[in-house]
Amino acid sequence: MTRIIADISVSLDGFVTGPDPGPDNGLGTGGGALHTWAFSDDPDDHRVLREGTVRSGAVVLGRHLFDLVDGPNGWDDTCGYGAGEVGKPPFVVVTGSPPESVRTTDLDWTFVTTGLSDAVAAARKRAEAASAAGGRDLDVVLMGGGATIRSALDAGLVDVLILHLAPVVPGAGTPLFTGGTPRTLVQRSVVATSTATHLAHDVSR
């Protein structure tokens, strides 16, 4: 069965970027420290990254995050979703309107203008097709940003929440949680390394 997995790095004080994020500073000041684990040589960090990307049958992201990763300082051949780990999954962007052009034309982009639920449904269809073709279970991964994951949780769309808790306290930035619908989480696994504590939770609906 295709699961919907929200997967994001977060600081100890609950931020998914550092202070003052912007078009030329997508992770905010000091925000790169939230993702140190993804470039770590620690075998446990690498295993978490590899397992997360291998299961990705399709990936959902919000328009703001798309503009950052497709921008001039965004993804390239060495930096991107699961770079060096797996083949490139299809990406589904929830947006008010499609962009006029796309820089990263070697990636499979779908733009959904009818809301997050429809974007997740489109991604699920792509993941299920890939699962059937490959003979193994694949999931939909919500990679962010924070507002997209918050909205998905509030809408009851998420089956699993994975947090990569970085040992940093930026003091400001983009918060992951700002209220919303209460949810009960069931902790399923904890992997602690020097760069992050990787927490996996089942989400009640």
Side-chain angles (χ1 to χ4, degrees):
M1 180 177 178
T2 300
R3 300 175 300 170
I4 310 301
I5 299 178
D7 188 317
I8 196 166
S9 297
V10 63
S11 68
L12 289 176
D13 51 348
F15 296 104
V16 297
T17 74
D20 303 317
D24 297 321
N25 189 29
L27 292 176
T29 303
L34 296 171
H35 299 271
T36 299
W37 71 270
F39 304 96
S40 165
D41 292 329
D42 187 297
D44 286 330
D45 284 326
H46 188 240
R47 176 174 57 81
V48 168
L49 178 65
R50 182 179 64 251
E51 291 176 352
T53 53
V54 162
R55 69 168 179 261
S56 302
V59 177
V60 176
L61 62 159
R63 177 58 185 270
H64 176 68
L65 182 54
F66 165 79
D67 287 341
L68 293 175
V69 302
D70 192 58
N73 298 315
W75 289 351
D76 57 28
D77 291 339
T78 62
C79 179
Y81 187 86
E85 295 297 325
V86 295
K88 298 169 183 175
F91 294 89
V92 178
V93 181
V94 57
T95 179
S97 59
E100 294 182 0
S101 62
V102 176
R103 178 181 64 84
T104 48
T105 53
D106 60 324
L107 299 179
D108 181 349
W109 295 106
T110 298
F111 299 92
V112 175
T113 61
T114 52
L116 179 57
S117 181
D118 286 346
V120 170
R124 185 194 293 274
K125 185 176 295 186
R126 296 294 300 272
E128 289 175 345
S131 295
R136 61 189 180 93
D137 291 336
L138 295 172
D139 299 314
V140 172
V141 176
L142 306 181
M143 66 171 288
T148 298
I149 288 181
R150 281 198 307 273
S151 296
L153 286 166
D154 287 345
L157 297 173
V158 177
D159 298 309
V160 178
L161 174 64
I162 297 177
L163 301 177
H164 309 285
L165 190 62
V168 295
V169 182
T174 304
L176 178 57
F177 300 114
T178 57
T181 304
R183 294 287 170 191
T184 299
L185 306 181
V186 178
Q187 185 166 285
R188 291 304 184 194
S189 67
V190 179
V191 178
T193 71
S194 63
T195 57
T197 302
H198 307 284
L199 304 165
H201 308 83
D202 289 340
V203 181
S204 67
R205 297 223 179 172

